[in-house]
Amino acid sequence: MLTTRRVDAYHALTVVAPGVAERFRPGHFVSVAVGGPRTSMVTRRALSIHDVKPDYGGTVELVFTATGPGTSWLAERRARDTLDLVGPLGRPFPLPRDPASCVLVGAEYGAAALFPLADALLERGCRIDFALGAASADRVFGAMRARRMAETTTLTTEDGSLGLRGSVTDVLPAVIADTHADAIYACGPMETLRAVTAVAIEFDIPVQVAVEEAMACGIGVCMTCVLPVIGDDGVTRMVRACAEGPVFRGERVRFEDVGTIPFDALGAPGGGVRNVG
C-alpha cells in the first residue's frame, strides 16, 4: 500500500496494483480482504475505484466509509501495509459511440466511481455535467474536482449545509432540461438509483446505474448480491450484481423488488414473464 488519507467523512487508500490499473475501465471495482490472516472476518469488501495512475507501475485509489469492523480495520492501514486485493471486477460503464451530453449523478461516496468515467467521456468529446448530493457537506464527495471537469456542477445536501437543500434527484429534472442531456450515469444508494431511473424514464433518456449491493465474494460464487433484472427477452432473472453488474440499464432493474425474489422471475414459483416497458 502507498498512502491512506481522509477525504471529509471518507477514507481513501492508494494501492500499488499494476495488474488492476492496466485492465481497469470505469465502473470496475475491487474486492478486498479485511482483518488480516488470522481474522474471523472471512468475507471481502467490494470497493469502487476512484482513480488510476501510472505511478509505481500502476496505482489504484479506493474510497470507502468506515461503517463496521471490516472497513474500520481497512481505515487503519498505513503505508507499506499489504492488502489482499482482487480486481478489476464487474461490468464497466458502456460509453457512447458518438459525443453526447451526459449527466453524472452521484450520492455520498458512490460518486467516487464517476470521476474515471468523466475522464473517459471527455476523451470521447462528450459534455459532462455533475449532480452530487449527500446528507451533509462533509459527505458530498468530489465537489471541487467535479467543478474543474464539468460544464456545470449542481450540489445538494439534505441539511442545506452545501448547495441546494434537498436530494440530488430533486434537482435532476432541471439539470437534464438545462443541459439537453442525452444520457444519465448514476452511482449511489439503491433508493437514489431508483429515483434517478424514474426521472430518466420520465424524460425518455437512457440511464446506466452502478448498484450498491452487499458482495461477499465479488466474483459471482456466493450469490449474496443477486437482484431482479429484466433481460432483453422480457424475462426477469435474479442476476449477480458483482458479475452481471454492477452496472445495469436503470429501467431493467426492478428496484421495487430488490431484496425479494419476484413471483414472476424465472425459476420462481410463479415462473411468469414480465415484459419490458
Side-chain angles (χ1 to χ4, degrees):
M1 203 171 76
L2 199 60
T3 63
T4 177
R5 63 191 178 99
R6 286 298 298 267
V7 183
D8 294 325
Y10 307 118
H11 299 269
L13 298 181
T14 300
V15 182
V16 179
V20 177
E22 180 183 355
R23 294 188 294 275
F24 168 77
R25 288 162 58 194
H28 279 148
F29 67 95
V30 297
S31 178
V32 184
V34 297
R38 292 189 173 88
T39 184
S40 61
M41 292 186 285
V42 296
T43 58
R44 305 172 75 87
R45 302 297 185 271
L47 302 179
S48 295
I49 296 174
H50 171 236
D51 214 354
V52 172
K53 292 182 179 176
D55 310 359
Y56 302 94
T59 64
V60 175
E61 186 176 71
L62 314 172
V63 175
F64 62 97
T65 181
T67 55
T71 46
S72 295
W73 176 88
L74 201 57
E76 294 167 358
R77 299 308 93 203
R78 293 297 176 261
R80 297 189 178 87
D81 286 348
T82 300
L83 289 180
D84 178 347
L85 179 149
V86 178
L89 300 172
R91 172 180 170 267
F93 288 108
L95 302 177
R97 285 188 291 269
D98 301 311
S101 176
C102 302
V103 174
L104 279 54
V105 184
E108 305 278 334
Y109 68 98
L114 294 174
F115 290 95
L117 171 64
D119 285 330
L121 291 170
L122 289 172
E123 287 176 7
R124 293 193 171 217
C126 294
R127 169 184 169 135
I128 61 168
D129 295 88
F130 273 99
L132 303 175
S136 55
D138 64 327
R139 304 192 74 82
V140 176
F141 183 85
M144 293 296 290
R145 185 176 177 187
R147 283 172 168 154
R148 289 195 300 268
M149 300 176 75
E151 292 287 330
T152 67
T153 298
T154 304
L155 306 176
T156 70
T157 48
E158 292 180 19
D159 65 359
S161 55
L162 179 66
L164 302 171
R165 182 185 294 272
S167 74
V168 71
T169 52
D170 292 338
V171 302
L172 185 55
V175 173
I176 292 171
D178 291 345
T179 62
H180 305 288
D182 300 308
I184 300 173
Y185 294 88
C187 300
M190 296 296 270
E191 278 305 308
T192 299
L193 301 183
R194 177 179 182 173
V196 169
T197 296
V199 174
I201 291 172
E202 180 184 343
F203 279 83
D204 194 27
I205 56 178
V207 56
Q208 299 285 339
V209 299
V211 302
E212 288 187 2
E213 279 289 288
M215 301 177 188
C217 75
I219 56 175
V221 175
C222 70
M223 306 298 285
T224 60
C225 65
V226 295
L227 72 166
V229 175
I230 304 167
D232 291 339
D233 57 1
V235 177
T236 295
R237 294 173 176 83
M238 302 302 294
V239 304
R240 301 163 299 178
C242 69
E244 284 78 29
V247 177
F248 296 99
R249 288 170 54 179
E251 74 276 9
R252 296 291 183 87
V253 179
R254 292 176 58 170
F255 287 105
E256 70 276 11
D257 294 319
V258 169
T260 72
I261 300 177
F263 79 95
D264 58 343
L266 187 67
V273 172
R274 173 167 169 159
N275 292 324
V276 180

